[in-house]
Amino acid sequence: MTDLTKLSAAALADKLTAGEISSVEATRAHLDRIAAVDGDVHAFLHVSDHALEVAAGIDRRRAAGEALGPVAGVPLAIKDVLVTTDMPSTSGSKILEGYMSPYDATVVARSRAAGLVPLGKTNMDEFAMGSSTEHSAYGPTRNPWDLDRIPGGSGGGSAAAVAAFEAPLALGSDTGGSIRQPAHVTGTVGLKPTYGGVSRYGAIALASSLDQVGPVTRTVLDAGLLHDVIGGHDPHDSTSLSDAWPSFAEAAREGARGDVLKGLKVGVIKELPDAGFQPGVSASFRSALAAMEAQGAEIVEISAPHFEYGVAAYYLILPAEASSNLAKFDSVRFGLRVDVPGGTVEDVMARTRDVGFGDEVKRRIILGTYALSAGYYDAYYGSAQKVRTLIQQDFDSAFASVDVIATPSAPTTAFRLGEKIDDPMQMYLNDVTTIPANLAGVPGISIPSGLADEDGLPVGIQFLAPAREDARLYRVGAALEALLVDSWGASLLERAPQLGDSTQGGAL
Ligand code: GLN
């Protein structure tokens, strides 16, 4: 029998609809896979104890002839930043250890309504601050390609779960790259939607003007299928767009079969310094562009002079918003409370926040509080907001002459655990290509472009499109994916070391 964990969500959905397999079988296969490999990978913080029951319910409804959605019965992993009523939601922090939410995030509620089967909650950097999951209060996730390396962050758990075939679909959140950078280092697909395209209701806020929830998958079509489930207007989110969105799965299907690359204008940013990129990353990027060019795409050099200031602006705006959002973790309303005998309420709050927050969270709260303080507000926060506007203007003028912008998704392949943990600046520089999309609110996708020559690790190519043009990313992403997978002969993940296969020896 086919190994159900190796199938895409689209293929699983076809088999479920045709009655060839049950959701219980699909779910059990993934739970078994989690049991076999997650001791090594640590993608999950919590595995659901009632996933099989949920799956059985879907099977019963299907047997009764109920018309179910296109992905009903397919298992799903959920980043722990998203609140769930039936599993703890910690956002990777000790301050929320064991926290049970009284409501489901909208994206979770929509996933359940579509018949997706939640497998569990995935690991992440604490409150989504980081690029490696090493800032999780519950220990890091490991990259399935090499267990000594990071799976990216903050959503390393979701990306690793998908890359290690523990789940066909996962939900992530992207404030500065936390969906796309993990996709880049794990050979998977991740898309950050247009700001306002997917509800933030029930996504534990990091920086509200930047946060977006999105799909983490192994194929572009699967990302479209999940995006179709979670996207669209939500009255619970005041920044939710009221647009009627096209089907993203349909856009992906169109891309895979059509000739969307012919005549496509692909912008390449001339100011993006080649120097900061690992040679294998640049080489993979250039060969993906050449493959597109061979299909009739036109590569156009564009100028985005303020891109390079994105990291500096982001690391003022994000801490400012985060310091405000995290003020609610005060020992009174949520999660942890550390008593101070004989102390005042302020003593209890201070002690709880001292014990409950990790170093990176404290660093950003201090930075953000400082940037927002009277006397410094204009110099830091105000200036950063001006840079944000300049970056938005860069995008506007670029998109006047190109259809999409392409960049490598991140500067390097997966680095080793421990390599950058003590150097916040090095960690922040990972986000150089992903941050501008969040600052401008435009959508971005990362798809695998190949393996770097020097270390054999996956590399991703990022495409950016104007706001509301998410469907364009699915078309272009699926077109390039089809081309590359064809030339490789199989999906990139087929070349990853086979975890949990004892014949391979060692941990891999
Ligand atoms: N690496 C970025 C940061 O540390 C990304 C965060 C995110 O997208 N949640 O802020």
Side-chain angles (χ1 to χ4, degrees), residues 128-131 153-154 173-178 206 314-315 318 364 431:
M129 299 180 188
S131 304
S154 64
S173 69
D174 191 312
T175 304
S178 287
L206 170 53
Y314 171 90
Y315 279 99
L318 178 137
R364 295 200 196 188
D431 310 331

Side-chain angles (χ1 to χ4, degrees), residues 279-301:
V281 169
S282 298
S284 177
F285 177 62
R286 278 195 299 271
S287 70
L289 290 180
M292 294 175 84
E293 220 171 356
Q295 298 298 311
E298 195 186 324
I299 312 299
V300 182
E301 196 170 81

